[in-house]
Each structure stands twice: as C-alpha cells, then as structure tokens.
Amino acid sequence: MLVTRVLDIRASDITDERLYLGRREFLAAAAAPAAALVAGAAPLRAADGQDAPPPPRKGFVTTGEAVTPWADATGYTNYYEFGMAKADPSRNAASFVPRPWTVTIDGLVSAPRRYDLDDLLAPHPLEERIYRMRCVEGWSMVIPWTGFPLKDLIQRAGPLGSARFVEFTALDDPRRMPGQRVNVLDWPYVEGLRLDEALHPLTILATGMYGRALPNQNGAPLRLVVPWKYGFKSIKAVVRIRLVARQPATSWGKASPREYGFYANVNPGVPHPRWTQAHERRLGESGRRPTLLFNGYGDQVASLYSGLDLKRHY
Ligand code: MTE
C-alpha cells in the first residue's frame, strides 16, 4: 500500500502556480504507485482494454494517507442504478457502455449548450487529485481521481448573476441501469451544490481514477467529486448540470429529509439518526479512525460556512 509523506495544503496553495510546479515531481511519484497498485505489470490500461487517457498534466495531493486498494475502491461501491448491495454495481455495470454520452449545461447561464462528452472535455487539462472520501454510512477511502475543476466548466458557460445553486442529474435509462427498475429512489438520481461550493477549487468532475478511465461502477464516464461532503453528494453518470436560483431537491433528501440534509458536510459532531459520525472504518485498514470536520479540508472550505449553523444545516 502506498504511503507518502503528508502534504496537506491550504486553499491559497491551490492557485499558486509556482507552488504547483514545485510539487509536480512529487505528484508524479505519488501518482505512479497509485496506478501501479491496480495494474501490476501492465499499468494504465482502461477497463475496456483500450489505452487509458494520457497521464494528468498537473494537480495536487491533499493527503499523504495510504491510497485505498483498487479492489476495495471498485468492488465496494454505492450505485443504486446498478443494485443496492456493495458488490452489485461491479457485476451489474460490467456491460454498461458509457458512450456516446452527452452533458447539458443550462439554466441560468449565458451560453447553454449540449456537449458531446469529448467536446466538453477537450479544453480541460486533466489533473490528479488524491482525496479522502467519506460515506455517510461510516466508511471511508483515499482515492486518486483524474479530473478537472468544475469551476472551469461553469465559467465557460457564463453564470448569470441570478444563479445561486447548481443542480446535477444522472442518466435515467432503466434499460441500461437495472437498478432503476426498482423504486428505491425517485429516478433519476439528482444532487445539488450551492454555487460557491461548485466553484470551489477542490470540487472536480472526474473522468478517471488510479490512472485509468473511470470504471463503470464508479460513475463512468463522468462524476462529481466533492471531498469535504459525504459521498452521496458526489453524483455518478452526470448528464445535466443546471444553474438555478433556488436550492434544488436531492435524491436522498427526497427519500428521507431528516437523514440527508442538503449540505451533507462531513461532521463528526452531527450524528446521523442511524450512524455515529464520530469515527469511520477506512477500507483496507483494521480498526476505526476519528472522522475529521469537513473530512479534513476545513482550512480550505470552512469559510464557505461562516455564520451557518452546521447542526441545523446538516
Ligand atoms: N451517484 C449515483 N448516480 N447513484 C448512486 O447511487 N451513490 C452515492 C454517490 N454517487 C450514488 C451516486 C453514494 S451514497 C456514495 S457513498 C458514492 O457515490 C460512492 O462512490 P464510490 O462507489 O465510487 O465509492
């Protein structure tokens, strides 16, 4: 398992190109073992056997903790469109073909557009981001994502002054997603962020992980990753990103509003009705570790919530 030195960073570091350049070699070193973990002698092959995308051109690491084994990150998943048990998505999504794929960006933007995925991705350099991921159910992982800041895409679309939230919608296709034939959630899966959360530099759209194309069960071909929030905010198989004026409904919020708030910031001080949030089980480790406020990203995101009662707005 990869163990690297701790390199927690501040928000001010993120945009500082000089700091980033200084870390490039470290990142390359950190990323390579992560990819090697999964692929052994033949790294960087996509799941479908095609060549994986080119290596990320830049990025940064937010934790020196051990990267979760590939088998756990891809075999223990939550993706109700492909079944409710943790092992279901890897089996049931095996034949899913995430192409062709279109993503619509619309709502309160000056340049609404429906993109073919390749056109959407073309202008965005991919970065590696090694993030903690904490599920509301009390388990966690450390995953090396490949992606790009959502902010860059939103800015291309030209947000209007009246936009305050972003609504995300996943694919709705029960023919290809067998879990959608069961009414466990109100399909399609929808999620939302405040606009300032969506524009935060830690928020990315991911197209890969562990140096490979995103596996189907992890949300191919495009998913959101918001590392300071519980995992259910990080919607998989995104087909629509809509800027809106009012707080959008979310799938889990509709299913059980008392259990799943809109904010869903990782917070050890606010227990879920069914699970303590004080500690977590890190996949690949024994025992439990304490859960960190904002999943350890407080120095970068806490200012988004100054004045907000985190116990009430959970
Ligand atoms: N996105 C969609 N479309 N459908 C889902 O069921 N589950 C969420 C989130 N994104 C889910 C989803 C939950 S509950 C979690 S914890 C994370 O995905 C899990 O991501 P992972 O399986 O890649 O670890």
Side-chain angles (χ1 to χ4, degrees):
M1 206 176 294
L2 173 67
V3 181
T4 56
R5 67 195 159 94
V6 175
L7 191 63
D8 280 305
I9 59 165
R10 295 171 211 281
S12 55
D13 293 354
I14 295 169
T15 48
D16 189 321
E17 189 75 3
R18 286 164 307 165
L19 279 174
Y20 147 66
L21 287 172
R23 285 192 183 127
R24 192 177 258 169
E25 283 172 20
F26 169 72
L27 278 165
L37 264 179
V38 305
L44 300 178
R45 304 287 294 185
D48 59 5
Q50 307 206 330
D51 283 332
R57 275 175 267 175
K58 61 174 190 169
F60 56 84
V61 179
T62 66
T63 173
E65 294 160 22
V67 166
T68 298
W70 164 263
D72 289 326
T74 59
Y76 189 92
T77 55
N78 273 338
Y79 198 177
Y80 277 30
E81 285 90 331
F82 289 102
M84 289 166 63
K86 296 286 184 284
D88 287 345
S90 57
R91 251 194 325 266
N92 296 339
S95 56
F96 181 74
V97 180
R99 284 286 198 281
W101 197 269
T102 58
V103 180
T104 301
I105 301 176
D106 63 354
L108 300 172
V109 295
S110 57
R113 192 171 154 188
R114 183 165 185 247
Y115 289 93
D116 177 74
L117 183 64
D118 294 332
D119 296 334
L120 180 142
L121 298 178
H124 298 284
L126 296 177
E127 310 176 11
E128 171 126 321
R129 301 281 184 98
I130 301 183
Y131 282 162
R132 296 179 205 98
M133 212 268 285
R134 169 66 154 81
C135 177
V136 71
E137 297 162 345
W139 51 267
S140 65
M141 303 193 190
V142 174
I143 299 180
W145 301 105
T146 310
F148 64 94
L150 172 63
K151 169 168 72 93
D152 295 348
L153 182 62
I154 291 179
Q155 280 170 349
R156 264 170 78 198
L160 301 181
S162 48
R164 292 200 43 237
F165 292 89
V166 184
E167 177 193 72
F168 302 86
T169 307
L171 183 67
D172 189 11
D173 191 347
R175 282 175 304 114
R176 295 160 71 200
M177 296 179 138
Q180 287 185 334
R181 296 173 211 151
V182 183
N183 284 336
V184 52
L185 287 173
D186 180 17
W187 305 113
Y189 197 100
V190 285
E191 255 306 333
L193 293 173
R194 248 176 27 195
L195 182 60
D196 59 344
E197 298 174 326
L199 295 175
H200 192 280
L202 284 177
T203 304
I204 60 166
L205 285 172
T207 58
M209 58 194 249
Y210 295 77
R212 291 177 153 194
L214 204 56
N216 288 341
Q217 63 267 33
N218 295 95
L222 189 73
R223 72 173 291 173
L224 184 69
V225 181
V226 192
W228 71 94
K229 292 179 178 286
Y230 292 118
F232 67 85
K233 300 296 286 183
S234 292
I235 180 173
K236 302 177 175 181
V238 173
V239 295
R240 187 175 184 196
I241 298 171
R242 189 163 73 104
L243 274 68
V244 293
R246 307 197 38 189
Q247 184 175 303
T250 64
S251 284
W252 287 105
K254 284 191 273 183
S256 184
R258 203 171 64 88
E259 294 184 271
Y260 305 104
F262 179 79
Y263 281 92
N265 290 317
V266 174
N267 190 337
V270 179
H272 181 276
R274 282 183 283 146
W275 304 290
T276 170
Q277 300 297 15
H279 41 78
E280 64 201 54
R281 178 173 62 91
R282 176 69 52 85
L283 271 284
E285 285 181 6
S286 56
R288 299 181 74 84
R289 52 166 70 217
T291 287
L292 306 172
L293 181 60
F294 298 117
N295 208 18
Y297 299 104
D299 58 342
Q300 294 156 68
V301 301
S303 62
L304 294 175
Y305 308 106
S306 54
L308 193 75
D309 180 351
L310 295 175
K311 286 205 156 62
R312 214 157 67 79
H313 298 278
Y314 55 86

mmCIF file of all heavy atoms in Angstrom, residues 164-197:
data_model
loop_
_atom_site.group_PDB
_atom_site.id
_atom_site.type_symbol
_atom_site.label_atom_id
_atom_site.label_comp_id
_atom_site.label_asym_id
_atom_site.label_seq_id
_atom_site.Cartn_x
_atom_site.Cartn_y
_atom_site.Cartn_z
ATOM 1 N N ARG A 164 -27.646 30.794 -8.100
ATOM 2 C CA ARG A 164 -27.157 30.617 -6.716
ATOM 3 C C ARG A 164 -26.864 29.158 -6.377
ATOM 4 O O ARG A 164 -26.170 28.866 -5.426
ATOM 5 C CB ARG A 164 -28.181 31.187 -5.730
ATOM 6 C CG ARG A 164 -28.266 32.720 -5.839
ATOM 7 C CD ARG A 164 -28.879 33.366 -4.613
ATOM 8 N NE ARG A 164 -28.384 32.789 -3.381
ATOM 9 C CZ ARG A 164 -29.170 32.246 -2.457
ATOM 10 N NH1 ARG A 164 -30.466 32.203 -2.615
ATOM 11 N NH2 ARG A 164 -28.643 31.757 -1.354
ATOM 12 N N PHE A 165 -27.411 28.240 -7.138
ATOM 13 C CA PHE A 165 -27.203 26.815 -6.875
ATOM 14 C C PHE A 165 -26.932 26.095 -8.194
ATOM 15 O O PHE A 165 -27.204 26.635 -9.275
ATOM 16 C CB PHE A 165 -28.464 26.190 -6.239
ATOM 17 C CG PHE A 165 -28.745 26.692 -4.855
ATOM 18 C CD1 PHE A 165 -29.527 27.827 -4.654
ATOM 19 C CD2 PHE A 165 -28.233 26.037 -3.745
ATOM 20 C CE1 PHE A 165 -29.787 28.298 -3.374
ATOM 21 C CE2 PHE A 165 -28.482 26.496 -2.464
ATOM 22 C CZ PHE A 165 -29.258 27.624 -2.285
ATOM 23 N N VAL A 166 -26.415 24.875 -8.059
ATOM 24 C CA VAL A 166 -26.206 24.036 -9.240
ATOM 25 C C VAL A 166 -26.901 22.700 -8.994
ATOM 26 O O VAL A 166 -26.718 22.090 -7.931
ATOM 27 C CB VAL A 166 -24.707 23.797 -9.510
ATOM 28 C CG1 VAL A 166 -24.525 23.014 -10.807
ATOM 29 C CG2 VAL A 166 -23.953 25.115 -9.574
ATOM 30 N N GLU A 167 -27.696 22.297 -9.965
ATOM 31 C CA GLU A 167 -28.399 21.012 -9.875
ATOM 32 C C GLU A 167 -27.728 20.029 -10.837
ATOM 33 O O GLU A 167 -27.461 20.372 -11.985
ATOM 34 C CB GLU A 167 -29.859 21.221 -10.276
ATOM 35 C CG GLU A 167 -30.676 19.957 -10.306
ATOM 36 C CD GLU A 167 -32.004 20.197 -11.018
ATOM 37 O OE1 GLU A 167 -31.997 20.352 -12.263
ATOM 38 O OE2 GLU A 167 -33.029 20.251 -10.339
ATOM 39 N N PHE A 168 -27.475 18.826 -10.359
ATOM 40 C CA PHE A 168 -26.836 17.789 -11.180
ATOM 41 C C PHE A 168 -27.836 16.648 -11.372
ATOM 42 O O PHE A 168 -28.519 16.249 -10.421
ATOM 43 C CB PHE A 168 -25.600 17.229 -10.472
ATOM 44 C CG PHE A 168 -24.572 18.272 -10.141
ATOM 45 C CD1 PHE A 168 -24.654 19.004 -8.965
ATOM 46 C CD2 PHE A 168 -23.526 18.536 -11.018
ATOM 47 C CE1 PHE A 168 -23.714 19.973 -8.653
ATOM 48 C CE2 PHE A 168 -22.580 19.506 -10.723
ATOM 49 C CZ PHE A 168 -22.673 20.224 -9.536
ATOM 50 N N THR A 169 -27.873 16.118 -12.589
ATOM 51 C CA THR A 169 -28.775 14.997 -12.870
ATOM 52 C C THR A 169 -27.981 13.864 -13.493
ATOM 53 O O THR A 169 -27.140 14.088 -14.371
ATOM 54 C CB THR A 169 -29.892 15.444 -13.852
ATOM 55 O OG1 THR A 169 -30.515 16.613 -13.325
ATOM 56 C CG2 THR A 169 -30.930 14.355 -14.039
ATOM 57 N N ALA A 170 -28.252 12.650 -13.035
ATOM 58 C CA ALA A 170 -27.597 11.463 -13.576
ATOM 59 C C ALA A 170 -28.445 10.852 -14.687
ATOM 60 O O ALA A 170 -29.620 11.189 -14.855
ATOM 61 C CB ALA A 170 -27.380 10.448 -12.469
ATOM 62 N N LEU A 171 -27.860 9.940 -15.407
ATOM 63 C CA LEU A 171 -28.551 9.261 -16.506
ATOM 64 C C LEU A 171 -29.811 8.557 -16.000
ATOM 65 O O LEU A 171 -29.806 7.954 -14.933
ATOM 66 C CB LEU A 171 -27.596 8.231 -17.130
ATOM 67 C CG LEU A 171 -28.143 7.480 -18.347
ATOM 68 C CD1 LEU A 171 -28.333 8.408 -19.535
ATOM 69 C CD2 LEU A 171 -27.203 6.331 -18.735
ATOM 70 N N ASP A 172 -30.858 8.666 -16.796
ATOM 71 C CA ASP A 172 -32.120 7.984 -16.489
ATOM 72 C C ASP A 172 -32.380 7.018 -17.629
ATOM 73 O O ASP A 172 -32.837 7.422 -18.695
ATOM 74 C CB ASP A 172 -33.239 9.036 -16.388
ATOM 75 C CG ASP A 172 -34.531 8.437 -15.864
ATOM 76 O OD1 ASP A 172 -34.515 7.282 -15.386
ATOM 77 O OD2 ASP A 172 -35.558 9.132 -15.938
ATOM 78 N N ASP A 173 -32.074 5.762 -17.451
ATOM 79 C CA ASP A 173 -32.206 4.793 -18.535
ATOM 80 C C ASP A 173 -32.345 3.378 -17.960
ATOM 81 O O ASP A 173 -31.379 2.618 -17.889
ATOM 82 C CB ASP A 173 -30.966 4.880 -19.446
ATOM 83 C CG ASP A 173 -31.147 4.092 -20.731
ATOM 84 O OD1 ASP A 173 -32.108 3.300 -20.811
ATOM 85 O OD2 ASP A 173 -30.328 4.268 -21.652
ATOM 86 N N PRO A 174 -33.576 3.037 -17.541
ATOM 87 C CA PRO A 174 -33.785 1.732 -16.888
ATOM 88 C C PRO A 174 -33.403 0.544 -17.769
ATOM 89 O O PRO A 174 -33.132 -0.540 -17.248
ATOM 90 C CB PRO A 174 -35.281 1.711 -16.584
ATOM 91 C CG PRO A 174 -35.811 3.054 -16.894
ATOM 92 C CD PRO A 174 -34.769 3.849 -17.625
ATOM 93 N N ARG A 175 -33.359 0.741 -19.097
ATOM 94 C CA ARG A 175 -32.950 -0.385 -19.960
ATOM 95 C C ARG A 175 -31.491 -0.727 -19.719
ATOM 96 O O ARG A 175 -31.089 -1.879 -19.766
ATOM 97 C CB ARG A 175 -33.150 -0.037 -21.443
ATOM 98 C CG ARG A 175 -34.609 -0.130 -21.913
ATOM 99 C CD ARG A 175 -34.777 0.333 -23.343
ATOM 100 N NE ARG A 175 -34.279 1.695 -23.521
ATOM 101 C CZ ARG A 175 -33.221 2.034 -24.268
ATOM 102 N NH1 ARG A 175 -32.571 1.117 -24.946
ATOM 103 N NH2 ARG A 175 -32.824 3.289 -24.346
ATOM 104 N N ARG A 176 -30.685 0.311 -19.437
ATOM 105 C CA ARG A 176 -29.246 0.071 -19.242
ATOM 106 C C ARG A 176 -28.854 0.046 -17.767
ATOM 107 O O ARG A 176 -27.743 -0.372 -17.447
ATOM 108 C CB ARG A 176 -28.453 1.175 -19.962
ATOM 109 C CG ARG A 176 -28.649 1.135 -21.469
ATOM 110 C CD ARG A 176 -28.278 2.468 -22.093
ATOM 111 N NE ARG A 176 -26.840 2.721 -22.076
ATOM 112 C CZ ARG A 176 -26.299 3.939 -22.200
ATOM 113 N NH1 ARG A 176 -27.087 4.997 -22.323
ATOM 114 N NH2 ARG A 176 -25.000 4.090 -22.215
ATOM 115 N N MET A 177 -29.748 0.503 -16.920
ATOM 116 C CA MET A 177 -29.443 0.577 -15.483
ATOM 117 C C MET A 177 -30.511 -0.215 -14.732
ATOM 118 O O MET A 177 -31.563 0.323 -14.357
ATOM 119 C CB MET A 177 -29.430 2.042 -15.036
ATOM 120 C CG MET A 177 -28.328 2.859 -15.698
ATOM 121 S SD MET A 177 -28.370 4.582 -15.165
ATOM 122 C CE MET A 177 -26.628 4.931 -14.941
ATOM 123 N N PRO A 178 -30.242 -1.498 -14.504
ATOM 124 C CA PRO A 178 -31.298 -2.370 -13.969
ATOM 125 C C PRO A 178 -31.832 -1.946 -12.616
ATOM 126 O O PRO A 178 -33.008 -2.179 -12.304
ATOM 127 C CB PRO A 178 -30.616 -3.744 -13.884
ATOM 128 C CG PRO A 178 -29.147 -3.504 -14.053
ATOM 129 C CD PRO A 178 -28.997 -2.217 -14.803
ATOM 130 N N GLY A 179 -31.016 -1.261 -11.823
ATOM 131 C CA GLY A 179 -31.484 -0.820 -10.501
ATOM 132 C C GLY A 179 -32.609 0.200 -10.596
ATOM 133 O O GLY A 179 -33.373 0.390 -9.649
ATOM 134 N N GLN A 180 -32.728 0.873 -11.758
ATOM 135 C CA GLN A 180 -33.778 1.881 -11.920
ATOM 136 C C GLN A 180 -35.150 1.252 -12.151
ATOM 137 O O GLN A 180 -36.151 1.962 -12.180
ATOM 138 C CB GLN A 180 -33.436 2.824 -13.075
ATOM 139 C CG GLN A 180 -32.305 3.785 -12.738
ATOM 140 C CD GLN A 180 -32.046 4.795 -13.840
ATOM 141 O OE1 GLN A 180 -32.324 4.538 -15.009
ATOM 142 N NE2 GLN A 180 -31.495 5.932 -13.467
ATOM 143 N N ARG A 181 -35.174 -0.093 -12.295
ATOM 144 C CA ARG A 181 -36.477 -0.751 -12.421
ATOM 145 C C ARG A 181 -37.100 -0.973 -11.044
ATOM 146 O O ARG A 181 -38.213 -1.458 -10.933
ATOM 147 C CB ARG A 181 -36.318 -2.083 -13.169
ATOM 148 C CG ARG A 181 -35.831 -1.871 -14.604
ATOM 149 C CD ARG A 181 -35.497 -3.172 -15.303
ATOM 150 N NE ARG A 181 -34.438 -2.984 -16.281
ATOM 151 C CZ ARG A 181 -33.572 -3.918 -16.639
ATOM 152 N NH1 ARG A 181 -33.640 -5.140 -16.114
ATOM 153 N NH2 ARG A 181 -32.630 -3.655 -17.532
ATOM 154 N N VAL A 182 -36.373 -0.633 -10.011
ATOM 155 C CA VAL A 182 -36.852 -0.734 -8.629
ATOM 156 C C VAL A 182 -37.015 0.690 -8.104
ATOM 157 O O VAL A 182 -36.140 1.532 -8.299
ATOM 158 C CB VAL A 182 -35.810 -1.481 -7.755
ATOM 159 C CG1 VAL A 182 -36.323 -1.665 -6.336
ATOM 160 C CG2 VAL A 182 -35.417 -2.803 -8.396
ATOM 161 N N ASN A 183 -38.147 0.945 -7.437
ATOM 162 C CA ASN A 183 -38.416 2.325 -6.999
ATOM 163 C C ASN A 183 -37.768 2.657 -5.661
ATOM 164 O O ASN A 183 -38.394 3.253 -4.795
ATOM 165 C CB ASN A 183 -39.926 2.550 -6.904
ATOM 166 C CG ASN A 183 -40.524 2.726 -8.280
ATOM 167 O OD1 ASN A 183 -39.828 3.109 -9.218
ATOM 168 N ND2 ASN A 183 -41.799 2.412 -8.399
ATOM 169 N N VAL A 184 -36.510 2.314 -5.515
ATOM 170 C CA VAL A 184 -35.848 2.578 -4.235
ATOM 171 C C VAL A 184 -35.553 4.075 -4.078
ATOM 172 O O VAL A 184 -35.572 4.602 -2.971
ATOM 173 C CB VAL A 184 -34.590 1.693 -4.080
ATOM 174 C CG1 VAL A 184 -33.684 1.814 -5.270
ATOM 175 C CG2 VAL A 184 -33.817 2.015 -2.832
ATOM 176 N N LEU A 185 -35.308 4.757 -5.189
ATOM 177 C CA LEU A 185 -35.174 6.212 -5.207
ATOM 178 C C LEU A 185 -36.076 6.750 -6.307
ATOM 179 O O LEU A 185 -36.493 5.999 -7.202
ATOM 180 C CB LEU A 185 -33.716 6.625 -5.501
ATOM 181 C CG LEU A 185 -32.683 6.429 -4.388
ATOM 182 C CD1 LEU A 185 -31.280 6.736 -4.917
ATOM 183 C CD2 LEU A 185 -32.980 7.295 -3.167
ATOM 184 N N ASP A 186 -36.340 8.053 -6.251
ATOM 185 C CA ASP A 186 -37.113 8.711 -7.298
ATOM 186 C C ASP A 186 -36.135 9.041 -8.436
ATOM 187 O O ASP A 186 -35.413 10.023 -8.361
ATOM 188 C CB ASP A 186 -37.728 9.989 -6.671
ATOM 189 C CG ASP A 186 -38.545 10.765 -7.658
ATOM 190 O OD1 ASP A 186 -38.924 10.197 -8.703
ATOM 191 O OD2 ASP A 186 -38.816 11.951 -7.372
ATOM 192 N N TRP A 187 -36.098 8.201 -9.469
ATOM 193 C CA TRP A 187 -35.107 8.375 -10.543
ATOM 194 C C TRP A 187 -35.442 9.538 -11.441
ATOM 195 O O TRP A 187 -36.622 9.825 -11.607
ATOM 196 C CB TRP A 187 -35.012 7.078 -11.372
ATOM 197 C CG TRP A 187 -34.711 5.882 -10.554
ATOM 198 C CD1 TRP A 187 -35.533 4.809 -10.314
ATOM 199 C CD2 TRP A 187 -33.485 5.599 -9.852
ATOM 200 N NE1 TRP A 187 -34.901 3.902 -9.506
ATOM 201 C CE2 TRP A 187 -33.656 4.354 -9.211
ATOM 202 C CE3 TRP A 187 -32.274 6.281 -9.701
ATOM 203 C CZ2 TRP A 187 -32.657 3.781 -8.421
ATOM 204 C CZ3 TRP A 187 -31.296 5.706 -8.928
ATOM 205 C CH2 TRP A 187 -31.486 4.474 -8.300
ATOM 206 N N PRO A 188 -34.492 10.174 -12.070
ATOM 207 C CA PRO A 188 -33.060 9.928 -11.977
ATOM 208 C C PRO A 188 -32.469 10.473 -10.668
ATOM 209 O O PRO A 188 -33.072 11.315 -9.998
ATOM 210 C CB PRO A 188 -32.494 10.715 -13.166
ATOM 211 C CG PRO A 188 -33.444 11.861 -13.323
ATOM 212 C CD PRO A 188 -34.792 11.305 -12.976
ATOM 213 N N TYR A 189 -31.268 9.970 -10.348
ATOM 214 C CA TYR A 189 -30.521 10.468 -9.188
ATOM 215 C C TYR A 189 -30.207 11.947 -9.432
ATOM 216 O O TYR A 189 -29.716 12.336 -10.492
ATOM 217 C CB TYR A 189 -29.225 9.675 -9.081
ATOM 218 C CG TYR A 189 -28.496 9.758 -7.746
ATOM 219 C CD1 TYR A 189 -28.617 8.737 -6.810
ATOM 220 C CD2 TYR A 189 -27.649 10.814 -7.449
ATOM 221 C CE1 TYR A 189 -27.923 8.782 -5.597
ATOM 222 C CE2 TYR A 189 -26.953 10.863 -6.242
ATOM 223 C CZ TYR A 189 -27.098 9.845 -5.322
ATOM 224 O OH TYR A 189 -26.409 9.884 -4.139
ATOM 225 N N VAL A 190 -30.525 12.784 -8.458
ATOM 226 C CA VAL A 190 -30.223 14.219 -8.589
ATOM 227 C C VAL A 190 -29.476 14.689 -7.345
ATOM 228 O O VAL A 190 -29.662 14.153 -6.254
ATOM 229 C CB VAL A 190 -31.500 15.074 -8.773
ATOM 230 C CG1 VAL A 190 -32.055 14.928 -10.178
ATOM 231 C CG2 VAL A 190 -32.565 14.747 -7.730
ATOM 232 N N GLU A 191 -28.650 15.669 -7.524
ATOM 233 C CA GLU A 191 -27.894 16.254 -6.415
ATOM 234 C C GLU A 191 -27.750 17.752 -6.629
ATOM 235 O O GLU A 191 -28.125 18.267 -7.683
ATOM 236 C CB GLU A 191 -26.512 15.603 -6.279
ATOM 237 C CG GLU A 191 -26.397 14.640 -5.106
ATOM 238 C CD GLU A 191 -26.805 15.257 -3.768
ATOM 239 O OE1 GLU A 191 -26.690 16.479 -3.600
ATOM 240 O OE2 GLU A 191 -27.238 14.521 -2.870
ATOM 241 N N GLY A 192 -27.205 18.432 -5.646
ATOM 242 C CA GLY A 192 -27.066 19.875 -5.782
ATOM 243 C C GLY A 192 -25.978 20.437 -4.893
ATOM 244 O O GLY A 192 -25.593 19.827 -3.890
ATOM 245 N N LEU A 193 -25.465 21.576 -5.299
ATOM 246 C CA LEU A 193 -24.481 22.324 -4.511
ATOM 247 C C LEU A 193 -24.885 23.791 -4.544
ATOM 248 O O LEU A 193 -25.534 24.239 -5.507
ATOM 249 C CB LEU A 193 -23.079 22.203 -5.124
ATOM 250 C CG LEU A 193 -22.397 20.838 -5.100
ATOM 251 C CD1 LEU A 193 -21.090 20.909 -5.903
ATOM 252 C CD2 LEU A 193 -22.134 20.357 -3.681
ATOM 253 N N ARG A 194 -24.466 24.523 -3.543
ATOM 254 C CA ARG A 194 -24.512 25.971 -3.660
ATOM 255 C C ARG A 194 -23.506 26.374 -4.723
ATOM 256 O O ARG A 194 -22.492 25.697 -4.902
ATOM 257 C CB ARG A 194 -24.129 26.598 -2.308
ATOM 258 C CG ARG A 194 -25.251 27.312 -1.612
ATOM 259 C CD ARG A 194 -24.899 27.837 -0.252
ATOM 260 N NE ARG A 194 -23.508 28.149 -0.022
ATOM 261 C CZ ARG A 194 -22.986 28.350 1.197
ATOM 262 N NH1 ARG A 194 -23.753 28.283 2.266
ATOM 263 N NH2 ARG A 194 -21.716 28.630 1.345
ATOM 264 N N LEU A 195 -23.746 27.501 -5.403
ATOM 265 C CA LEU A 195 -22.835 27.890 -6.487
ATOM 266 C C LEU A 195 -21.407 28.076 -5.976
ATOM 267 O O LEU A 195 -20.446 27.658 -6.623
ATOM 268 C CB LEU A 195 -23.337 29.157 -7.187
ATOM 269 C CG LEU A 195 -22.492 29.630 -8.370
ATOM 270 C CD1 LEU A 195 -22.413 28.569 -9.470
ATOM 271 C CD2 LEU A 195 -23.045 30.938 -8.948
ATOM 272 N N ASP A 196 -21.243 28.663 -4.789
ATOM 273 C CA ASP A 196 -19.877 28.878 -4.297
ATOM 274 C C ASP A 196 -19.185 27.555 -3.975
ATOM 275 O O ASP A 196 -17.972 27.426 -4.123
ATOM 276 C CB ASP A 196 -19.848 29.843 -3.101
ATOM 277 C CG ASP A 196 -20.680 29.378 -1.917
ATOM 278 O OD1 ASP A 196 -21.526 28.477 -2.084
ATOM 279 O OD2 ASP A 196 -20.489 29.917 -0.810
ATOM 280 N N GLU A 197 -19.945 26.541 -3.565
ATOM 281 C CA GLU A 197 -19.365 25.211 -3.351
ATOM 282 C C GLU A 197 -18.937 24.596 -4.689
ATOM 283 O O GLU A 197 -17.873 23.982 -4.800
ATOM 284 C CB GLU A 197 -20.372 24.285 -2.673
ATOM 285 C CG GLU A 197 -20.803 24.746 -1.288
ATOM 286 C CD GLU A 197 -21.914 23.886 -0.702
ATOM 287 O OE1 GLU A 197 -22.786 23.395 -1.469
ATOM 288 O OE2 GLU A 197 -21.940 23.697 0.516
#
